[in-house]
Amino acid sequence: YYNKATQNGLHEHYRQIAGYTPKPIIIYNVPSRTGCNMLPETVARIADSCPNVTGIKEASGNISQVAKLASLVGDRLDIYSGNDDQVVPMLAMGGKGVISVMSNILPKETDQICERWFAGDTAGSLAMQLALSDMAKALFSDVNPIPIKEAMNLIGMDVGECRLPLVGMSDSGREALAAVLKKHGLMA
């Protein structure tokens, strides 16, 4: 699919989907993948008209946008970080957690970033976020999901190759990723 939607089109799209199911829906705002950013006003409009839209994976990378979104939706919509390198800033903006790539290989650590925050150990949460910043960067050093699949294969999880048009990482990219995995004890 290659059409870039308008903000009105996004609203209508989610309104129609929400009308076909009573199940809770989480919106994904990942402009780097879609070429289209869902503005906070659009998300608030969706939250107003679709009661079963209960959350958003916010991966715009724009903390000012997250602040605006939080001010518009309040408690009506759960906000989740969509970027592993921005979990703590999102939690500070009222976020409820993370929909994470890194959790595929570091589930306990990714969970602990959030758990520490919610337990009031903001310094510990931040320390973990910073300690894993190189991992988050390595896992986004190429087009997602290429690096996470490489990482999972490198640590023995055998998830197979990417489907075309995605291909494996370059030798230099794989070596750099392996170095970070070794640093964090995931490879010998």
Side-chain angles (χ1 to χ4, degrees), residues 168-183:
M169 295 180 84
S170 66
D171 290 341
S172 62
R174 188 177 306 102
E175 289 171 15
L177 177 60
V180 175
L181 294 170
K182 287 175 186 174
K183 176 186 170 195

Side-chain angles (χ1 to χ4, degrees), residues 133-156:
S133 63
D134 61 339
M135 181 66 76
K137 183 177 179 183
L139 293 175
F140 286 90
S141 62
D142 205 332
V143 175
N144 186 33
I146 295 170
I148 189 60
K149 287 193 80 145
E150 288 281 356
M152 293 172 83
N153 284 323
L154 286 168
I155 65 174

Side-chain angles (χ1 to χ4, degrees), residues 58 62-71 73-75 77 79 86-96 117:
E58 174 51 57
N62 183 335
I63 296 299
S64 295
Q65 178 168 309
V66 174
K68 175 74 173 181
L69 175 61
S71 74
V73 300
D75 290 336
L77 198 66
I79 301 172
Q86 294 183 341
V87 178
V88 170
M90 294 286 279
L91 295 173
M93 293 286 175
K96 302 295 185 194
W117 179 272

